[in-house]
Every structure is written in structure tokens, then in C-alpha cells.
């Protein structure tokens, strides 16, 4: 959140979008009973099912499938720990706490604006802090009803299913890294850095596998006997085609391809670096530091906007644009490090004017 708050805001948007999609998919089955708080709770991986080795996550697409297959009934959702009362009881924050935080942040923003109106400078630290405000406000908006810090998941028993249904259900799992079955992948120290994958990533993976399957069929158009001979190894060929990719970033296609949401997302992302430029004329210890701050702020804006033009960034050569897609986030991170370093360095020779104040008695809001 300190280095790249833009991505937290985008993550909030993607979680909200996934929750809304789940609600829409299940609207007819639940008779609009599935609310945002339920969808967020499931999306937080807080709904799990028991296995012989521990428990495994029920992903949003799996829960929707169970409803559509009538293997579970929405009327019994409270038995699965999905009642709003149970979820809110597990959450460590309510609307009141969030509202108080927003009021405090809004007050700081108002004070900063009043200083600028009176011609008083902001310190680089105040400018940087102010830059976080719109992004955190947007994130709060998307996460307003999302439960916070749920430590105890709801663990249930799956309904009886046929072998085919069980296989279909398990194939829909987005990842096994978040299950609790004591596997090597789940117990490694690196697991604390795992980012929660989204359902759209699983859908993209399935589409890629289907395309690979169709390609293999087209390549192997031979006689019936030869088809039988290759049937045994076709699964292995699909699993190795395409190769496993290291994904750097993958934006939700429904947001990325929106003519309204994505431009607004890019503007909000650029606002973070743009608000730093309020301190364009702020006094720094040296002219070099001042221009380094300005260059870093501009670089963060440009590099982020370039990076956000790629729907999916992977560590694989796909042409000259690969260099741009991988270099742009690196430039962004370097520029952010320079800006944070500039804030710290500026304290050794701060502009005395940052300690000046305006007369507050002329504004009735201060009396209130």
C-alpha cells in the first residue's frame, strides 16, 4: 500500500467486479438473496470444505456451480456460515469505523486545500500523504461491505456428488495454494507472498487449454486407428501446451475492455503521481533533489499508464512490446523509491513556510 497504492485500488475494483458477477450469475437461483457481503466473504476464501487431509477452498465459481446444479439450496446458506449476522460477527470492522476513518482523511484533505488557497506551501510529506487520499477513498468505496480480517473460516461438508460431478467441481478450483492440506506448496514460507488469484484467471486458463486441445486435434487429423493410438497421451500434450507462464499482471477482462471503467481506472492511477506535483515549487535541500523529485513524479505517471495498457504481462518473449511491458513497472517502482527517499531527505532542510498557518477563526467550519 505504501509503494503502489494504485494497485490496491485496482485490486478493490477487481474484487468488487468479481463479487458483482457472482451475484448476477446466481440472481435467479437465490432470488436476489445473495448480497455483496456474501460474495465478498466467499471471494476472501473464507468458505471451505472438509477433506481427509484437512480442508480446501470453495471458490466463487465452485459455489455458483453447486447452486446451479441444485446440489445445495440457497435457503440453507445459514448452515454454511453465510448468514449476514455470522459474517459481520467475524468481521473486525464495521461501517462506523470506516466512516470515522474517511472523515479523518477528508479533514486532512480539506486542511491541505485551505493551505494552498492561502498560498501556503505543503511539505513533500503532506503532498505524498494527500496523494493517497483519492485512491484509499476509492478502495474504501469498493470494500465498504467487505468483511475485514476474518480469521476463522466457515468449514462445511460437501453434499453427495457422483464421480463425474466431483471431478467437475474439483477441476473448477482456481488454485490449491490456499488449501489447508499440509502440502509443500501450502506450507512454504513463500506462501505469505501469494496473491489471491481471481476466477477470470482460471477462466482464461481453461480457454487456453481448450484452444490447445483444438489445435492438437487439427494437427493430428488422421485415420481412426491413429486417433486411438494417440488418445492415451493427448492429456499430457495438452498440459504441456501452452507452457506454464509466470504472470506479472493480469487485469480483469470485464474491466479492462470496458470503455468507461478502464479509462477511469487509468485516470485514478495517474492521480497519485499527479498530486505529488503540487510540490513542484516546494523547496528541497538542493536543486538536484528538487528536479529528481519532479522527474520521478512524472516518470511514475507515464510508466504506470503505459503498464496499464497491457491486459496481461508475462515473463515470456512475445515481441518488442514485451520489453516495454516489463520495463515500465520497473521504472515505476524505481520512481516511487526515489519519491519516498526525497520526502525523507527533505526533512534536513525544510522550507520554514510549511510551519505557517492561516487564521482559522474566519471559517465557521472550524468553530463547528
Amino acid at each position: 500500500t505504501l509503494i503502489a497504492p494504485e494497485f490496491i485500488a485496482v485490486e478493490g475494483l477487481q474484487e468488487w467486479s468479481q463479487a458483482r458477477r457472482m451475484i448476477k450469475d446466481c440472481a435467479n437461483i437465490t432470488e436476489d438473496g445473495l448480497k455483496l457481503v456474501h460474495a465478498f466473504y466467499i471471494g476472501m476464501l473464507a468458505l471451505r470444505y472438509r477433506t481427509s487431509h484437512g480442508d480446501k477452498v470453495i471458490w466463487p465459481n465452485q459455489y455458483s456451480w453447486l447452486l446451479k446444479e441444485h446440489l445445495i439450496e440457497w435457503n440453507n446458506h445459514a448452515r454454511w456460515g453465510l448468514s449476514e449476522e455470522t459474517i459481520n460477527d467475524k468481521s473486525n470492522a464495521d461501517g462506523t469505523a470506516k466512516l470515522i476513518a474517511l472523515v479523518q482523511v477528508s479533514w486532512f484533505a480539506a486542511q491541505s486545500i485551505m493551505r494552498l488557497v492561502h498560498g501556503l506551501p505543503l511539505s513533500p510529506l503532506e503532498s505524498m500523504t494527500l496523494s493517497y487520499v483519492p485512491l484509499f477513498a476509492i478502495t474504501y468505496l469498493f470494500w465498504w461491505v467487505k468483511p475485514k480480517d476474518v480469521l476463522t473460516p466457515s468449514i462445511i461438508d460437501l453434499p453427495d456428488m457422483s464421480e463425474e460431478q466431483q471431478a467437475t467441481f474439483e477441476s473448477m478450483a482456481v488454485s490449491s495454494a490456499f488449501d489447508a492440506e499440509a502440502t509443500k506448496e501450502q506450507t512454504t514460507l513463500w506462501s505469505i507472498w501469494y496473491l489471491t488469484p481471481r476466477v477470470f484467471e482460471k477462466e482464461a486458463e481453461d480457454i487456453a487449454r481448450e484452444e490447445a486441445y483444438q489445435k492438437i486435434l487439427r494437427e493430428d487429423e488422421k485415420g481412426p486407428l491413429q486417433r486411438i493410438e494417440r488418445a492415451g497421451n493427448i492429456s499430457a500434450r495438452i498440459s504441456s501446451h501452452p507452457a506454464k507462464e509466470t504472470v506479472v499482471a493480469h487485469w480483469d477482462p470485464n474491466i479492462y475492455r470496458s470503455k468507461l471503467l478502464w479509462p477511469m481506472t487509468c485516470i485514478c492511477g495517474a492521480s497519485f503521481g499527479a498530486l505529488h506535483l503540487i510540490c513542484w515549487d516546494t523547496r528541497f535541500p538542493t536543486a538536484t533533489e528538487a528536479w529528481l523529485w519532479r522527474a520521478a513524479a512524472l516518470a511514475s505517471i507515464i510508466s504506470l499508464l503505459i503498464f496499464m495498457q497491457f491486459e496481461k504481462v508475462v515473463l515470456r518473449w512475445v515481441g518488442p512490446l514485451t520489453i516495454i511491458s516489463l520495463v515500465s513497472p520497473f521504472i515505476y517502482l524505481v520512481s516511487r523509491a526515489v519519491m519516498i527517499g526525497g520526502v525523507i531527505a527533505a526533512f534536513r532542510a525544510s522550507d520554514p513556510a510549511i510551519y505557517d498557518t492561516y487564521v482559522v477563526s474566519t471559517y465557521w467550519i472550524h468553530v463547528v
Side-chain angles (χ1 to χ4, degrees), residues 171-210:
S171 70
M172 297 175 71
V174 178
S175 172
S176 61
F178 301 89
D179 297 335
E181 294 189 310
T183 65
K184 183 178 180 180
E185 181 186 23
Q186 296 157 14
T187 56
T188 175
L189 291 177
W190 290 106
S191 64
I192 62 174
W193 297 103
Y194 289 163
L195 295 177
T196 305
R198 300 287 161 231
V199 172
F200 71 82
E201 296 176 73
K202 170 64 175 174
E203 293 171 346
E205 219 176 89
D206 291 343
I207 291 173
R209 287 178 61 85
E210 178 62 25

Side-chain angles (χ1 to χ4, degrees), residues 10 64 147 200 298 362:
V10 173
S64 300
F200 71 82
L298 291 172
T362 55

